[in-house]
């Protein structure tokens, strides 16, 4: 699918990988809705995109992907501005690390596990189902394609470290959902792929001490540096443009395999 003039939804679009993806899609000519719980940051990103690529190219929508009413409202707001979306970039997510048996011998709080799985897995599925139902009603484009969606997993889906049970489980759920969802939506001409990024220079990563960042970067075989959000965005945009990419999970990690801790 050519992204030019297509409407795109980017969850978690106010920062990090989501922001980079929103900017890359806009650069390619898409009309982008920046969906995020952080309204002010989303508005800044949208305003910057409009300043660079023309008024009306981007819109900010405050949105909680775990709440159907909030998400549906954001999708409708975006459609009113740009028309029905044919592109969904599911980037919103949270992380945590907590051992299942705590230092004091108590079990890890169930609420922590539930919160991460709810946001990363259930929230992503929520966005996917609402997007797919609307996209399936659109007229087909070339090759019968109606739309494309990309999930954001993590290398932790395969190489989860100590304390990452909740995060790894949520990301592994996205990996496991990719192929059956692609098969499910094939009849509607909607493609589904997932990117599993490694260590990237996101705002969360950059909050760590410089020495820690350098140590993490040194663990990556090549190139021995943190990934750039723009590199994630380039791969996401390539998936949109390459109509034969479907049902695939792509690691983007510089050949990194995470150690146990």
């Amino acid at each position: 699918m050519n992204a030019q003039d297509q409407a795109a939804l980017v969850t978690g679009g106010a920062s990090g990988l989501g922001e980079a993806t929103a900017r890359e899609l806009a650069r390619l000519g898409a009309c982008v809705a920046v969906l995020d719980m952080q309204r002010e940051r989303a508005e800044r990103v949208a305003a910057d995109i409009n300043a660079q690529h023309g008024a009306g190219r981007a819109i900010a929508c405050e949105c909680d992907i775990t709440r159907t009413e909030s998400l549906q409202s954001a999708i409708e707001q975006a459609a009113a501005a740009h028309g029905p979306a044919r592109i969904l970039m599911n980037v919103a997510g949270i992380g945590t690390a907590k051992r299942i048996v705590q230092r004091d011998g108590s079990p890890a709080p169930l609420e922590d596990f539930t919160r991460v799985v709810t946001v990363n897995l259930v929230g992503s599925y929520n966005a996917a189902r609402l997007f797919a139902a609307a996209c399936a009603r659109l007229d087909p484009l070339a090759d019968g394609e109606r739309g494309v969606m990309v999930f954001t997993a993590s290398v932790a889906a395969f190489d989860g470290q100590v304390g990452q049970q909740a995060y790894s489980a949520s990301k592994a759920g996205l990996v496991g959902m990719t192929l059956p969802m692609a098969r499910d939506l094939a009849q509607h001409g909607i493609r589904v792929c997932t990117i599993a990024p490694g260590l990237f220079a996101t705002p969360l990563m950059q909050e760590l001490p410089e020495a820690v960042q350098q140590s993490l970067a040194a663990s990556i075989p090549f190139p021995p540096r943190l990934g750039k959000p723009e590199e994630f965005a380039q791969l996401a945009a390539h998936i949109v443009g390459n109509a034969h990419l479907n049902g695939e999970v792509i690691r983007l990690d510089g050949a990194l395999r995470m150690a146990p801790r």
Side-chain angles (χ1 to χ4, degrees):
M1 179 190 301
N2 187 336
Q4 180 71 43
D5 295 328
Q6 297 296 348
L9 307 171
V10 183
T11 71
S15 64
L17 303 180
E19 177 182 350
T21 301
R23 291 181 181 277
E24 177 66 9
L25 289 173
R27 187 188 69 81
L28 294 173
C31 297
V32 181
V34 181
L35 277 57
D36 207 288
M37 292 184 67
Q38 303 177 77
R39 184 179 187 86
E40 290 186 1
R41 293 182 68 166
E43 289 175 343
R44 285 199 295 270
V45 172
D48 194 34
I49 289 174
N50 288 330
Q52 291 185 45
H53 302 290
R57 182 62 62 180
I59 183 175
C61 304
E62 185 175 3
C63 174
D64 180 350
I65 61 173
T66 67
R67 294 179 53 240
T68 297
E69 300 82 2
S70 173
L71 186 53
Q72 186 65 55
S73 176
I75 292 173
E76 291 172 359
Q77 182 183 350
H82 298 148
R86 290 187 184 269
I87 300 169
L88 170 64
M89 295 292 172
N90 252 317
V91 191
I94 60 175
T96 187
K98 187 161 292 187
R99 289 178 182 262
I100 190 167
V101 178
Q102 304 291 282
R103 290 183 182 277
D104 63 1
S106 64
L110 181 60
E111 295 77 11
D112 288 359
F113 186 94
T114 301
R115 181 174 62 92
V116 174
V117 172
T118 297
V119 174
N120 294 356
L121 180 57
V122 179
S124 293
Y125 180 83
N126 199 22
R129 73 185 186 92
L130 296 178
F131 165 80
C135 192
R137 295 193 292 266
L138 302 179
D139 293 333
L141 303 173
D143 290 337
E145 186 173 20
R146 286 187 172 86
V148 57
M149 69 174 81
V150 176
F151 290 111
T152 305
S154 166
V155 295
F158 311 100
D159 322 324
Q161 295 185 298
V162 167
Q164 284 191 327
Q165 290 90 349
Y167 185 70
S168 294
S170 67
K171 296 301 187 178
L174 294 174
V175 169
M177 192 163 65
T178 303
L179 182 58
M181 189 174 289
R183 288 171 165 171
D184 190 346
L185 294 175
Q187 62 182 315
H188 301 294
I190 300 172
R191 294 185 291 117
V192 183
C193 283
T194 293
I195 301 174
L199 300 174
F200 272 70
T202 61
L204 184 62
M205 177 69 74
Q206 291 169 342
E207 290 178 3
L208 298 175
E210 183 63 29
V212 175
Q213 292 186 50
Q214 291 179 1
S215 175
L216 291 171
S219 69
I220 301 173
F222 189 83
R225 59 165 173 79
L226 298 175
K228 301 175 183 178
E230 305 82 61
E231 292 169 324
F232 176 94
Q234 289 163 8
L235 177 55
H238 178 77
I239 292 171
V240 172
N242 190 329
H244 210 59
L245 268 173
N246 193 18
E248 188 58 75
V249 178
I250 306 170
R251 289 184 68 132
L252 186 65
D253 58 19
L256 172 70
R257 296 298 180 268
M258 301 290 283
R261 55 172 62 82

